[in-house]
Amino acid sequence: MKTQVLSWMALLLLVIGMITMPGTAKGDAVPGEEIITLGEDLGPDDRTRLLEEMSADENDTIIYVSNEEEHRYLGDYISASQIGTRALSSTKITLTEEGSGLNVETNNINWVSEGMYANALVTAGVKDADIYVTAPFQVSGTAALTGLIKAYEVQADVVIPEEQKKVANEEMVRTAELGERIGTEEATELITRIKEEIGRQSVESEEDLRALIINISNELNITLNEEEVNGLVSLFDRMQDLNIDWNQVQDQISKVRNNLDDFLNREDTQSFIASFLDFINQLIDSARGWLSSES
């Protein structure tokens, strides 16, 4: 199974707390429409394999993402060496019924979680879609967001403001960096809870925002250093300047949680979880046997 169960569990902590109104009218997007993005530097074999993996072919709508675009949107937040010199991450985005929320699945992505993608995509103005992110081998996954936003603009016939795209990329990077230190689930929950509270209460000044961030981190037993707090204050201050309808926070929380509950209760998901736990138990039994033989 391509997506690890732990990643889906991390999504349970996800709160997609925003519906973004970028100021441009949405076109007549049709549920079920699909669009593929491919990294411009994929070799022929990898390109063919990823298209097959995404159940796509050369006749589908394909958008290419360049390494230059990756550096444009990520260069302010991570090093050039981390972005790399080749565009390889590829994606598939399928529009779903209005109000269905976002569902994200990944393969060969080792730094950005499904929850981080979903949160950042909502910040960028993307909603109601099934998202699949993949690569020919293990990559960080930071560049995939560029392709997804680019595809959504074409597919939904919208123009997402550049500042909104940049804030979405910054959010993804900051969450992933926090995840390295405090854990992926914890970082995703922290960012999500901050969004929740901004939707619930009036945050009128930078001091209010700083206090909110510190209070939520304390509630979650997360200790942030001064640099991390300053970074989050800067991020959410910029986010508040975007045209976001924070009143829709709770509605989006319910939609996402319902989607995840449905997934976890599916028969195939339960079967996989049972098989996974059996596998872990077998490993434990094998380890016990090995230790007994050594003693």
Side-chain angles (χ1 to χ4, degrees):
M1 188 173 182
K2 295 185 177 89
T3 306
Q4 298 177 353
V5 168
L6 288 178
S7 295
W8 285 105
M9 295 301 184
L11 276 174
L12 287 173
L13 299 173
L14 167 69
V15 180
I16 300 180
M18 301 180 292
I19 293 179
T20 311
M21 308 285 289
T24 51
K26 184 173 179 179
D28 296 326
V30 178
E33 284 186 350
E34 299 177 348
I35 203 164
I36 305 296
T37 75
L38 294 175
E40 196 173 67
D41 299 307
L42 286 169
D45 291 343
D46 286 334
R47 172 193 172 97
T48 299
R49 184 161 58 84
L50 291 185
L51 283 173
E52 290 176 352
E53 181 184 316
M54 293 185 283
S55 300
D57 57 40
E58 299 291 347
N59 296 319
D60 289 303
T61 303
I62 298 176
I63 290 177
Y64 295 93
V65 180
S66 69
N67 186 244
E68 185 276 330
E69 289 175 299
E70 296 173 350
H71 281 267
R72 184 194 314 163
Y73 291 111
L74 291 165
D76 289 339
Y77 315 118
I78 55 178
S79 67
S81 61
Q82 189 171 353
I83 299 170
T85 58
R86 296 187 297 164
L88 300 172
S89 299
S90 300
T91 69
K92 176 181 178 180
I93 179 169
T94 306
L95 294 184
T96 54
E97 296 291 339
E98 184 175 354
S100 60
L102 289 177
N103 290 292
V104 183
E105 182 180 358
T106 66
N107 178 50
N108 277 340
I109 305 299
N110 59 24
W111 198 52
V112 181
S113 72
E114 285 92 342
M116 294 175 193
Y117 279 124
N119 252 341
L121 284 167
V122 173
T123 298
V126 178
K127 60 179 181 178
D128 301 331
D130 289 336
I131 305 293
Y132 183 72
V133 183
T134 189
F137 44 80
Q138 290 286 315
V139 299
S140 67
T142 52
L145 185 63
T146 300
L148 288 168
I149 294 173
K150 188 175 181 180
Y152 186 76
E153 285 186 299
V154 172
Q155 192 175 38
D157 191 23
V158 297
V159 177
I160 298 173
E162 287 296 299
E163 178 66 9
Q164 201 162 335
K165 296 175 185 177
K166 290 178 179 179
V167 170
N169 276 278
E170 181 183 355
E171 176 188 343
M172 176 186 67
V173 170
R174 288 198 184 278
T175 310
E177 288 176 340
L178 272 175
E180 284 188 318
R181 191 178 71 79
I182 68 175
T184 297
E185 295 182 10
E186 290 78 3
T188 303
E189 183 178 11
L190 174 63
I191 298 301
T192 306
R193 285 283 303 278
I194 294 170
K195 289 181 178 180
E196 267 190 300
E197 291 305 315
I198 289 176
R200 288 174 178 165
Q201 57 183 274
S202 176
V203 181
E204 298 181 352
S205 67
E206 184 176 307
E207 289 73 21
D208 291 341
L209 185 55
R210 183 179 299 275
L212 183 147
I213 290 169
I214 293 172
N215 288 339
I216 292 175
S217 64
N218 289 338
E219 288 175 10
L220 297 174
N221 294 317
I222 294 172
T223 301
L224 299 175
N225 59 43
E226 185 176 358
E227 182 180 358
E228 290 166 340
V229 172
N230 289 339
L232 290 177
V233 169
S234 174
L235 169 65
F236 283 100
D237 189 46
R238 291 177 65 196
M239 199 178 291
Q240 285 189 293
D241 289 337
L242 301 176
N243 190 17
I244 292 173
D245 184 357
W246 294 96
N247 292 326
Q248 298 300 314
V249 171
Q250 296 304 320
D251 182 54
Q252 286 299 292
I253 292 172
S254 298
K255 285 187 176 71
V256 173
R257 286 183 174 163
N258 287 340
N259 287 343
L260 296 171
D261 286 343
D262 289 344
F263 170 80
L264 290 172
N265 288 326
R266 273 170 31 189
E267 184 177 346
D268 60 338
T269 305
Q270 293 295 324
S271 176
F272 177 79
I273 292 174
S275 298
F276 179 77
L277 292 176
D278 286 343
F279 173 70
I280 295 298
N281 286 331
Q282 289 173 14
L283 287 179
I284 293 172
D285 289 341
S286 297
R288 284 173 176 164
W290 179 78
L291 291 171
S292 297
S293 65
E294 289 294 314
S295 59

